[in-house]
Amino acid sequence: PASLSIAVALPDHKEVRAVSLLRAADTALTRARRISGGSGYQIYDSYMQTRTLRRLTLGTELRYALERDEFSVAYQPIVAIADGLIVGFEALVRWNHPQLGFVSPGEFVPVAEESGLVVPIDRWVLSRACRDIARWNGGRSRKKPLTVHVNLSAHQFAEDDLVDCIVETMSQSGAEVSMLHLEITESTLMQDTFRAVEVIRQLRAMGLRVALDDFGTGYSSLSYLHLFPLDYLKIDRMFVSQVEAGERDRKFVQVMLDLAETMQLVPIAEGVETTAQRDCLRELGCGHAQGYLYSKPVSVQEVDALIAVGSIAV
């Protein structure tokens, strides 16, 4: 079916230039298409102007953030629900600008994706995470090494040299393949299904493990999902937050856990915030979790302290 997007931009003073008005209308049109998916309207107003200027500022500042060493990596523990034992961490990028202050990933990551800067940022996070996990595992006697989960953006996953980049990064950091797990969203996998299958097979042939992130929020079907040689299934916080709300929500999560078992995947529940959610997930047979109940994302120094303890009691 045909779609129609409409943008409205009104002059805010008599001497407004035509080019400024057209630029405002184009901005409103872009937002209308993004929000409505192709059918809708958007009026350019002062809020949109402020938001546009903010995005322009972030886009400019992002170009220098890496060389100015403004990024850092925060780590959120992944624990065994049964006893709180820390099994690994998810690496999450943070940006602390000297003038703008802390900039939320939800704000700057989309800007980085639009400007083409997300790949060098992703590579920096991968390098830092590999270096940190190699150090955390150094000299420790564990049956299984601590692991770090690193998110691969759609842009990074589409890079032709992705596998070579990972191999080089791990070689330079001293991290072993058993220490690194890669997370990919459903939407990323569905952009080019056949290539995605081949890339994941190459990664797993190296000994790396791959997780399907934010499961349940994408648009893949089971007929495609079974093609991907995955290792972990991360249940999105949207479903975890409602798991104890009622029988229907509980059964929904149970279906996901049953699917994980059928596909021989290890399930990890994201966004666990209450003991009620934890207890319900444990009863349903979910073995691993992460979320504010256990810990918010923390600095490298705070990870050192958590590892020294070894588990998180809640």
Side-chain angles (χ1 to χ4, degrees):
S3 62
L4 176 65
S5 297
I6 300 174
V8 179
L10 302 174
D12 54 4
H13 55 83
K14 292 182 179 180
E15 298 180 0
V16 65
R17 294 166 51 185
V19 65
S20 299
L21 198 59
L22 288 172
R23 188 181 297 115
D26 185 62
T27 299
L29 185 61
T30 300
R31 182 166 175 79
R33 289 169 175 165
R34 183 183 298 121
I35 293 177
S36 63
S39 295
Y41 72 92
Q42 190 71 41
I43 300 175
Y44 189 87
D45 54 18
S46 57
Y47 169 76
M48 190 176 297
Q49 182 180 25
T50 301
R51 186 172 179 274
T52 300
L53 291 174
R54 170 76 171 181
R55 290 178 69 86
L56 288 173
T57 299
L58 293 181
T60 300
E61 294 300 310
L62 272 173
R63 298 184 182 279
Y64 307 101
L66 273 175
E67 62 185 68
R68 293 173 179 170
D69 198 27
E70 294 172 359
F71 289 114
S72 63
V73 178
Y75 294 93
Q76 185 169 46
I78 299 173
V79 306
I81 293 180
D83 54 12
L85 181 69
I86 298 173
V87 297
F89 301 88
E90 180 177 358
L92 302 165
V93 64
R94 296 291 184 261
W95 183 21
N96 191 14
H97 189 276
Q99 282 78 47
L100 301 175
F102 175 77
V103 185
S104 166
E107 186 177 17
F108 77 78
V109 169
V111 177
E113 291 175 339
E114 292 176 6
S115 61
L117 295 170
V118 71
V119 172
I121 294 174
D122 285 340
R123 289 183 175 183
W124 179 87
V125 172
L126 176 65
S127 176
R128 182 59 58 90
C130 285
R131 188 180 69 186
D132 288 339
I133 199 64
R135 181 175 66 83
W136 288 327
N137 279 296
R140 298 181 183 277
S141 57
R142 294 173 60 98
K143 292 182 179 179
K144 292 184 178 180
L146 289 169
T147 61
V148 64
H149 288 236
V150 177
N151 296 278
L152 296 182
S153 70
H155 291 76
Q156 186 181 20
F157 190 73
E159 291 286 297
D160 292 335
D161 64 344
L162 172 65
V163 175
D164 291 338
C165 176
I166 293 174
V167 171
E168 182 180 359
T169 299
M170 296 190 68
S171 175
Q172 293 176 349
S173 67
E176 299 177 6
V177 290
S178 58
M179 302 175 187
L180 178 63
H181 295 170
L182 302 170
E183 297 192 3
I184 308 171
T185 63
E186 289 180 72
S187 55
T188 296
L189 294 180
M190 295 304 294
Q191 289 184 13
D192 187 340
T193 304
F194 296 106
R195 178 184 178 278
V197 170
E198 179 58 30
V199 171
I200 293 176
R201 284 177 176 167
Q202 292 180 40
L203 294 173
R204 294 186 78 249
M206 293 165 51
L208 297 171
R209 294 294 173 257
V210 181
L212 180 61
D213 194 20
D214 299 334
F215 179 66
T217 62
Y219 49 84
S220 65
S221 66
L222 294 181
S223 62
Y224 281 101
L225 193 57
H226 85 280
L227 295 175
F228 300 112
L230 303 166
D231 301 281
Y232 293 86
L233 189 70
K234 300 197 75 173
I235 302 175
D236 187 75
R237 65 184 66 246
M238 177 176 67
F239 305 102
V240 173
S241 65
Q242 300 296 318
V243 68
E244 87 282 13
E247 188 62 23
R248 182 174 181 272
D249 298 286
R250 180 186 175 95
K251 287 183 177 180
F252 210 91
V253 175
Q254 181 68 74
V255 168
M256 293 183 175
L257 293 172
D258 290 343
L259 176 63
E261 183 178 5
T262 299
M263 298 179 65
Q264 297 182 325
L265 304 178
V266 177
I268 302 175
E270 297 182 290
V272 180
E273 297 183 350
T274 69
T275 55
Q277 292 170 1
R278 177 206 60 190
D279 294 343
C280 189
L281 288 165
R282 182 162 50 196
E283 292 172 4
L284 292 175
C286 184
H288 298 86
Q290 66 183 99
Y292 275 43
L293 174 66
Y294 298 100
S295 173
K296 65 180 181 179
V298 297
S299 67
V300 172
Q301 293 73 22
E302 291 172 295
V303 171
D304 289 337
L306 287 174
I307 292 176
V309 176
S311 62
I312 301 176
V314 292

